[in-house]
Amino acid sequence: MAEPERPRTDRSPWNWLLLVPIVVPLLTFLYNHDEPRLAGFPLFYWLQLAFILLGVGTTTLVYQMTKRNRGRS
Amino acid sequence: MSDHITEIVIFTILFLVVSGMGFVASRWRAPQDMAHLDEWGLGGRSFGGWITWFLVGGDLYTAYTFVAVPALMFGAGAAGFFAVPYTVIIYPLFFLILIRLWSVSHRHGFVTPADFVRTRFDSPTLALVVAITGIMATMPYIALQLIGIEAVLKTMGVTGESALARHLPIIIAFAILAAYTYQSGLRAPALIAFVKDTLIYIVILVAVLWLPYKLGGWNAIFDAADAKFQASPAPNDGILLNANNQVQYITLALGSALALFLYPHSITGVLASRNRGVIKRNMSALPAYSLLLGLIALLGYMAIAAGVKPLPGAKPGTVDSNTVVPILFDQQFPAWFTGVAFAAIGIGALVPAAIMSIAAANLFTRNIYKEYLRKDATHAQEANVAKITSLVVKIGAVACIVFLDPQFSIDLQLIGGVIILQTAPSVVLGLYTRWLHRGALVAGWVAGMALGAWMLWQIPNAATGRKHFGGSAFPLSEFGFDSTRTIYVGFVAVLANALVAVLVTLALRAAKVAEGVDGTVPDDYLADEGDPRIERERAGTVDNISST
């Protein structure tokens, strides 16, 4: 797809989403508890492991939404 | 020693296979001309998604991490689990930063973060400061990889009476590593990383499925850990955080995350990738290693549940808690599988050690040799100096372990994390703004280094009875706060660094001190593979690209 020459930018409102997986893992009050346990894991452990999925989901979403649709130049 | 003969045989075979791959790697994706730092030191800047994933994954999650994190969980409990939030935060935090660094480095042919700082701030001095910080932070990190191998060798009973006999296997291993890194450059760890990580993933998946079954389930494992920490007199251990160590937990996670991609070896892995898309996709794919690390951390609790007793340390009366995971495997698994697991840890040490020595060599070559010793060095001379430097660096790391107390390397690595953070204002903020003055960045660096060193010096360790360098958790009461909480040293030091940089910038600007000329333009930070400007230069004179 031929695109007219315009100044490139890597700014996007989607990038703000990246703050979510940076801030959430730092909120100890969310996960510093034993109950409820999941498959024997105290909340502290399973919820923090679940934050990995939150991180992956967010970076994937931001990547897809900000991908430049440029043809080979 | 005979009890461990199967383990030793399997360990040795896998080690030799991998060493062979290291030498063959120089012919893998072979360039026309290896005598160029882009080829030896950055693998031709051509790695795609998969290679980058294995390379950077093998680079960031080192053998030492795999041994030390469960050891920390074994000893202190929940506080050791900071490794998980730490490795979650890294990727969203650096998602935008790394692609800018990649783009500007691609267009200007930068090999190191110091190259960037030099051009951006027109200051060889600031670049020197960044380069020296990088080398200082990396050297002990390489030495620590040896501690990872040593923990395994110790468990297999490969020890001797004299210091030399005890260290002989490590010296041989590092000599082989040094030889193939010299020959193949970054291609060697990139190729070996495939084997290392495949082994690690298999070993850990088997361990986390099999061990809980054998030890009575996850409930029983966590309860055993809880019981151990309840019984221990130490105030800050437990399977949950307490009121005192929560600030430490989050500042350590955040500070470590910010530091990780400032380490020269991480940046080397990133700059070796082919384009921006490879980096962005890897920010979503690399967390697979974080999950692995989280599961590995829990091996520390499994060791508690299995009643593992760590081997004695170097000094009488101490224990070497780094041996808990090797011993857990030795006790719970058949010898052949333990051999594979030990090989995974041993090879796991080689990949980062190789990349770190290459990164340190790149820094020396580009920012000290070419800048101060030989300004007109050709590409071939640069590559040659880097190869020799990588040998020197490895000899230095081995010497650290053989001749000095290993504790010294651990202390240095603790300091390394704090000091590498002090390059953040120049490198990270520099990618976004040139507002900070080059002189102010040097002043901020000095302030951050001094404060960080002082704080680390002040921290005692009650468990080992040491007065200084007892950890990275600084008691807020030392600052005069009425509190028993602690905070991560690096975090405070980098805040002080940034504050000084801002204040001195205002002062220098008021005094109209020259700021130098920015060698980059805004569009540089957005360039991608196949960039028309670079293609034009390539078609014209080949040499212009990387001589800045």
Side-chain angles (χ1 to χ4, degrees), chain B residues 349-386:
Chain B
L350 301 181
V351 172
I355 306 172
M356 287 167 190
S357 68
I358 290 169
N362 287 348
L363 280 168
F364 175 80
T365 306
R366 295 284 298 186
N367 309 108
I368 297 174
Y369 172 74
K370 191 174 163 73
E371 186 71 58
Y372 294 99
L373 302 177
R374 187 160 191 155
K375 282 191 191 297
D376 59 345
T378 64
H379 290 308
Q381 281 169 328
E382 273 187 43
N384 209 25
V385 168

Side-chain angles (χ1 to χ4, degrees), chain B residues 146-165:
Chain B
L146 292 166
I147 294 184
I149 303 186
E150 226 174 20
V152 167
L153 292 173
K154 215 169 174 177
T155 311
M156 289 196 293
V158 186
T159 52
E161 287 305 310
S162 72
L164 191 67

